[in-house]
Amino acid sequence: MSHHVPGYGAKRILFRIILPFALLFSIATVTFWLLSSYLIGRYLQDDLRQQMVRVAGVISQSGYVLNPLILLQMKEVINAEIILFDEQGRIVNSTIAGGTVDAVARELANGFRAGNGGEPIIEFQGLRYKTITQSLTIAGRGQAFLCLWKPVEEADQLRSRIFVTTGWLALVGILAMTLAGYLIVRTITLPVEELVGVTGRIAENDFSQRAVVRSNDEIGLLARSFNRMIDQLQDYEKRLVESEKMATAGRMAAGLAHEIRNPLTSIKMFVQVLHGRLQGQRDNQQMIASLLQEIERLERIIEQIVERARPGELHRRRGNINEQLAELLALAAPSLQAGNIRLESRLSDALPELSYDPEKMKQVFWNLLNNSREAMPKGGMIEISSAPLPDGVEITFADSGLGIQDGNVDLCFKSFYSTKPEGLGLGLSTSRKIVEKHGGTLELANRARGGAVATIHLPVEKGSHEQHSGD
């Protein structure tokens, strides 16, 4: 048996959303970091070259290139070695002590004359220099060359710091965007994860669960739709259970009726024969007559059980529902008065005609009246009223009895549920089914001043004709 893991699907969605975006942003950020570091390095090199070219131009145009003291002062200012050599590569003046620089200067001079000098990077005494060579003419000496050697260590360190700093910034940006993306996506996946958890618990037959509605967006609409679906499923499940109960009761009633009717019919025939043979025996005939009455009562009980378990087809006709209510009032008044129950009626004269089954609705009215009477064993009052509605008719049965216990209305409509020891628990459930087959509703409620009220809404079927239908 597999076990559901709540939130597993939502986490997968979270990772499937955030990981591609985090990877894409990381690639873009690293690419930008490397490209910006390269461009900044190139910019620094170009700026250094331009500075060296400008300095070399200024020095070459001055008349102080042969003064060692002036060159040393310039070296401190521009932070670069200054070397002046003649056309043969011999050192004329230099800020570097010693003659070891002659070979390097001669190589630079030869390269410059050949057009290959440019701005090479050289190593001298363990240091790396960027060089700029420029030709000039010295009075009394002829053609010469001025060379600036700029240490590149500072520039390399600056580029390295820029590279590392921008790298850290890129990393922080990646982490910040990943976190921000996670939080944003989490606002979407959290309701989905909760919904997955709710579905898992519902799959374990816990139908009390409901999705939490956190917003009015698509996720919120999904949660609301899910809750409505669960409510409808519960309603369908209740109706299915009720239908199965009624179907089972119908089959049992039909089977019992078949098994009981045959021997009961034979018994009735024998009793009738015996009643005829006992002519002149008054006491015995009275006993036989009582026995026949009880047999007939058993037959009526069987018919009622079958009728209540299987409401059957509707035989509709068009008419005024007040006809059945007036008949009910006339028949019930004597027995109600005997039970110290006062009956009041308020039947509207403006009722529209309905398409209904008179016998079925009479069964509903009798059932509601009996329930009200049995709820007032010491007497009371029953109010029966009818009134027109914009789309139909409203009929109410109100009493001053004990009311609905604990206010549990749904329990009253369950099949085989009854608070009376001799009750079958089919009256209200059958009545509701009959009303619903007419397209109406039957509702129960407690009254504020005591007792209960049953309200029936029956719709008007415009344009319908007298018919016999199975609905």
Side-chain angles (χ1 to χ4, degrees):
M1 178 178 178
S2 61
H3 296 277
H4 176 73
V5 181
Y8 175 71
K11 291 181 179 178
R12 288 187 58 191
I13 293 176
L14 173 64
F15 293 141
R16 288 175 63 184
I17 293 175
I18 194 63
L19 288 180
F21 281 101
L23 180 61
L24 181 62
F25 181 77
S26 299
I27 293 174
T29 303
V30 170
T31 302
F32 177 77
W33 167 50
L34 296 176
L35 183 61
S36 61
S37 299
Y38 171 75
L39 293 177
I40 291 174
R42 287 294 303 270
Y43 171 78
L44 292 175
Q45 289 180 359
D46 292 342
D47 184 65
L48 177 62
R49 173 184 173 281
Q50 292 174 6
Q51 289 181 12
M52 293 179 66
V53 169
R54 287 195 298 269
V55 170
V58 172
I59 294 176
S60 63
Q61 293 174 5
S62 68
Y64 305 103
V65 293
L66 298 178
N67 190 328
L69 295 177
I70 297 297
L71 290 183
L72 288 175
Q73 292 176 359
M74 289 183 178
K75 170 186 175 181
E76 297 298 328
V77 173
I78 66 175
N79 190 26
E81 302 290 348
I82 305 173
I83 304 171
L84 180 66
F85 50 89
D86 58 17
E87 195 172 4
Q88 286 73 36
R90 295 189 299 271
I91 299 298
V92 176
N93 202 352
S94 174
T95 57
I96 300 177
T100 55
V101 76
D102 288 354
V104 178
R106 190 174 299 110
E107 182 179 349
L108 291 174
N110 293 333
F112 184 80
R113 284 194 300 270
N116 301 325
E119 306 159 18
I121 301 294
I122 65 171
E123 289 190 10
F124 181 74
Q125 295 181 351
L127 297 177
R128 297 172 67 248
Y129 296 91
K130 181 175 180 61
T131 65
I132 290 289
T133 304
Q134 187 166 333
S135 63
L136 72 159
T137 303
I138 302 176
R141 289 182 178 268
Q143 184 72 30
F145 301 95
L146 178 67
C147 187
L148 297 183
W149 289 12
K150 182 77 172 179
V152 297
E153 181 180 1
E154 291 184 2
D156 289 343
Q157 290 178 353
L158 179 59
R159 283 195 298 271
S160 178
R161 286 197 298 272
I162 291 174
F163 183 79
V164 173
T165 302
T166 54
W168 279 110
L169 291 176
L171 179 60
V172 171
I174 291 173
L175 294 178
M177 285 300 298
T178 302
L179 178 60
Y182 174 83
L183 295 177
I184 293 173
V185 175
R186 187 63 174 163
T187 60
I188 300 175
T189 59
L190 180 60
V192 176
E193 182 177 346
E194 292 177 348
L195 189 58
V196 171
V198 171
T199 57
R201 290 187 287 273
I202 290 176
E204 296 172 356
N205 295 324
D206 184 4
F207 287 96
S208 64
Q209 299 295 321
R210 290 297 181 273
V212 179
V213 180
R214 299 180 179 274
S215 61
N216 292 323
D217 55 10
E218 289 81 356
I219 301 297
L221 293 176
L222 177 62
R224 289 190 182 92
S225 299
F226 179 81
N227 290 338
R228 286 197 299 269
M229 180 186 69
I230 295 302
D231 292 338
Q232 291 175 356
L233 285 176
Q234 283 188 297
D235 185 54
Y236 293 154
E237 184 183 32
K238 290 179 181 178
R239 292 188 180 184
L240 180 61
V241 171
E242 197 73 15
S243 298
E244 290 178 350
K245 286 182 178 179
M246 294 302 295
T248 302
R251 289 192 294 269
M252 290 177 60
L256 287 174
H258 178 73
E259 295 296 330
I260 295 175
R261 275 174 176 168
N262 291 336
L264 191 62
T265 301
S266 300
I267 294 173
K268 184 178 181 180
M269 291 174 59
F270 292 142
V271 170
Q272 289 174 339
V273 171
L274 185 60
H275 184 271
R277 290 182 178 181
L278 295 177
Q279 293 291 338
Q281 301 181 25
R282 184 175 179 181
D283 293 338
N284 290 333
Q285 281 192 329
Q286 288 181 347
M287 293 177 58
I288 295 301
S290 299
L291 182 58
L292 283 173
Q293 290 179 355
E294 293 300 319
I295 292 174
E296 291 174 353
R297 189 169 72 87
L298 284 176
E299 289 179 336
R300 289 194 300 271
I301 291 174
I302 291 173
E303 291 295 334
Q304 290 176 359
I305 291 176
V306 175
E307 184 67 20
R308 289 184 173 184
R310 296 186 297 184
E313 297 181 350
L314 297 183
H315 301 281
R316 295 176 181 262
R317 69 168 177 84
R318 292 189 65 81
N320 194 317
I321 199 71
N322 279 344
E323 298 176 5
Q324 276 63 46
L325 292 173
E327 182 180 347
L328 174 73
L329 294 171
L331 294 175
S335 62
L336 293 176
Q337 290 176 358
N340 197 25
I341 295 176
R342 185 160 53 93
L343 183 62
E344 292 188 1
S345 64
R346 291 189 297 274
L347 305 183
S348 173
D349 295 331
L351 294 185
E353 285 193 344
L354 303 177
S355 175
Y356 68 101
D357 186 325
E359 294 301 322
K360 296 294 184 185
M361 290 309 303
K362 190 185 301 183
Q363 178 182 344
V364 173
F365 296 155
W366 272 111
N367 187 20
L368 296 178
L369 184 65
N370 286 330
N371 286 343
S372 296
R373 180 178 58 187
E374 291 169 355
M376 298 181 294
K378 297 181 180 180
M381 183 177 67
I382 298 177
E383 302 173 8
I384 301 177
S385 64
S386 64
L389 295 176
D391 58 348
V393 172
E394 180 182 81
I395 304 158
T396 59
F397 284 71
D399 62 62
S400 59
L402 301 175
I404 302 170
Q405 296 180 2
D406 302 325
N408 196 339
V409 175
D410 292 336
L411 195 61
C412 295
F413 288 106
K414 284 191 173 182
S415 300
F416 307 108
Y417 171 80
S418 177
T419 58
K420 297 170 288 187
E422 70 280 5
L424 293 174
L426 291 172
L428 282 175
S429 63
T430 303
S431 297
R432 171 176 272 187
K433 286 185 178 296
I434 291 174
V435 173
E436 289 177 347
K437 287 173 76 69
H438 282 82
T441 60
L442 171 59
E443 299 175 351
L444 290 179
N446 282 324
R447 303 173 74 190
R449 59 179 182 269
V453 57
T455 304
I456 299 174
H457 290 159
L458 293 176
V460 173
E461 297 181 359
K462 294 183 180 180
S464 63
H465 300 284
E466 186 174 340
Q467 59 179 342
H468 299 277
S469 66
D471 285 11

